[in-house]
Amino acid sequence: MFFRCIILINQYMSEYVKCLIIGAGPAGYTAAIYAARADLKPVLYTGVLDGGQLTQTTEIENYPGYPDGITGLAMMENFRRQAARLGTDIRAGFINRVDFNSTPFWLEIDSERSILADTVIIATGASAKWLGINSETKYSGFGVSACAICDGFFYKGQVVAVVGAGDTAAEEACFLAKMCRKVYMIVRRNQFRASKAMVHRVSNTCNIEVLFNTETEEILGDGLNVTGLLLVNNQTKAKSTLSIDGVFIAIGHKPNTEVFEGCLDMNDAGYIKTMPGTTCTNVAGVFCCGDAQDHVYRQAVTAAGTGCMAAIDAERHLANSNFILKESISLK
Ligand SMILES: Cc1cc2nc3c(=O)[nH]c(=O)nc-3n(C[C@H](O)[C@H](O)[C@H](O)COP(=O)(O)OP(=O)(O)OC[C@H]3O[C@@H](n4cnc5c(N)ncnc54)[C@H](O)[C@@H]3O)c2cc1C
């Protein structure tokens, strides 16, 4: 009740926009480009990572339109410039509270100001889970990756390791095994968490070797690139080093959707549910795109594609709402 009162007071003092976009990754910026061109005058809040996950990697080789590849930072700067040139109002700020119970929707930014919006496009992405060791950060993009589809190509004919025991880790290992000379899977427990089908695929791939009961203590390197792993067997406590050219951390992803908990339908892992073939959530006027709703593909190009869909869905929602409003006025 107390919060509801604060929300009501804030609503009288809030700025009002047609289309609010949350997130500044490929999904958010693509939604902004389309929304701006549809004259929705979008306002986009960047959160703490302007440019999104791609700013954490080096070379992007699989985004169409860049025949020679491009760095993640440069590509996301291009996204930003294009969205700004077309009229997106890009602002620093983190959405920390929302009320989607009535329209216009109410959102709070940095716990200090609020905004009202007719439509909201959620493009808050996801974060890869990391081991949390210093050497992982040091060699991120230089032998440490969280995405085999993105970076596997760079390790053709080389030796790599995949850390993880679930379906994603097994899938990444099988994917890498097609192009790498040898793939080690580093599994903490004495068994996989992956489905039987995936375990079967791993066991039947001759260049994958699974090291059970094994933990990664340190990622070793020569100051420039990864050269190996320092491993410990958690049963015998014996330490060993493994020479590798790259390591893929596949221990899961976490969607950045905590702020929407209780307001929108989500799956058990926190990914926002959208209606098949659309970006519509269970709240009319609230749309979700990119990795925040996609635990399967998790690519920049799919994020951008769903960003485009979200802007089109928002534009059609507004057009229909205006039509219904005009109809009801003319009937009176
Ligand atoms: C190391 C690494 C390498 C990768 N390499 C490739 C590659 O080579 N090719 C490829 O296609 N894909 C690659 N990916 C995957 C790709 O980065 C993602 O699929 C893509 O970035 C998802 O885009 P997104 O817009 O959904 O979310 P993100 O890029 O995650 O962006 C989310 C945005 O939301 C903002 N945000 C979050 N919460 C809030 C909030 N409450 N309020 C305001 N803003 C908020 C963040 O600040 C950020 O700007 C890689 C990923 C990683 C981690």
Side-chain angles (χ1 to χ4, degrees):
M1 185 60 195
F2 175 69
F3 279 129
R4 188 69 202 152
C5 287
I6 292 182
I7 287 169
L8 285 173
I9 293 164
N10 272 332
Q11 284 188 345
Y12 289 106
M13 301 160 60
S14 295
E15 178 188 4
Y16 172 78
V17 297
K18 270 197 237 180
C19 178
L20 185 86
I21 300 170
I22 315 174
Y29 277 134
T30 305
I33 289 164
Y34 277 77
R37 296 192 78 241
D39 206 25
L40 302 188
K41 302 191 174 25
V43 168
L44 179 150
Y45 280 96
T46 65
V48 288
L49 196 60
D50 190 356
Q53 293 171 66
L54 286 184
T55 59
Q56 297 174 327
T57 187
T58 45
E59 204 68 9
I60 312 292
E61 290 213 320
N62 55 7
Y63 199 88
Y66 294 102
D68 302 318
I70 183 167
T71 66
L73 273 175
M75 187 167 114
M76 291 319 299
E77 179 53 26
N78 285 345
F79 270 69
R80 185 185 222 275
R81 279 178 39 215
Q82 190 173 359
R85 182 178 70 80
L86 293 167
T88 309
D89 182 348
I90 302 168
R91 304 176 183 176
F94 187 84
I95 304 298
N96 61 283
R97 204 144 56 100
V98 300
D99 181 0
F100 292 158
N101 284 318
S102 56
T103 48
F105 304 116
W106 178 88
L107 302 98
E108 188 178 60
I109 306 127
D110 293 334
S111 304
E112 60 183 23
R113 57 195 187 283
S114 59
I115 192 162
L116 298 171
D118 282 333
T119 57
V120 173
I121 295 178
I122 298 169
T124 49
S127 309
K129 290 185 189 161
W130 298 98
L131 297 171
I133 48 182
N134 288 339
S135 44
E136 185 181 46
T137 320
K138 181 172 174 188
Y139 290 108
S140 176
F142 297 92
V144 176
S145 172
C147 177
I149 291 177
C150 314
D151 296 330
F153 183 79
F154 299 117
Y155 298 93
K156 256 188 177 168
Q158 299 185 16
V159 179
V160 297
V162 174
V163 179
D167 274 334
T168 305
E171 252 169 43
E172 302 235 324
C174 293
F175 178 83
L176 290 164
K178 287 186 213 141
M179 62 189 87
C180 298
R181 186 153 43 94
K182 171 103 189 179
V183 179
Y184 291 97
M185 277 193 82
I186 314 296
V187 176
R188 195 161 44 138
R189 295 193 300 167
N190 62 354
Q191 58 183 23
F192 282 103
R193 276 190 299 105
S195 61
K196 273 192 184 153
M198 281 316 300
V199 174
H200 184 73
R201 269 179 67 190
V202 167
S203 321
N204 284 287
T205 308
C206 57
N207 60 339
I208 299 181
E209 183 176 336
V210 186
L211 306 179
F212 287 108
N213 295 317
T214 304
E215 292 181 37
T216 306
E217 206 160 272
E218 213 55 74
I219 294 166
L220 309 172
D222 57 10
L224 285 176
N225 294 300
V226 166
T227 56
L229 296 178
L230 175 61
L231 301 173
V232 58
N233 182 304
N234 55 29
Q235 300 299 299
T236 63
K237 307 293 175 214
K239 292 192 181 188
S240 60
T241 57
L242 183 70
S243 288
I244 49 150
D245 303 294
V247 57
F248 291 82
I249 312 298
I251 54 176
H253 282 79
K254 192 179 174 313
N256 305 318
T257 55
E258 294 95 329
V259 66
F260 311 108
E261 269 168 24
C263 304
L264 295 175
D265 286 351
M266 298 179 183
N267 73 8
D268 291 344
Y271 287 90
I272 294 173
K273 287 186 182 172
T274 51
M275 287 170 209
T278 77
T279 60
C280 303
T281 67
N282 62 309
V283 175
V286 178
F287 306 91
C288 183
C289 51
D291 284 12
Q293 51 85 54
D294 170 21
H295 64 282
V296 179
Y297 301 104
R298 291 196 300 249
Q299 293 296 294
V301 71
T302 47
T306 53
C308 156
M309 288 166 65
I312 293 174
D313 286 342
E315 196 276 325
R316 290 187 181 156
H317 171 82
L318 286 170
N320 286 340
S321 313
N322 285 342
F323 177 73
I324 291 164
L325 188 68
K326 278 183 194 150
E327 284 283 283
S328 64
I329 290 168
S330 68
L331 285 174
K332 277 181 189 166

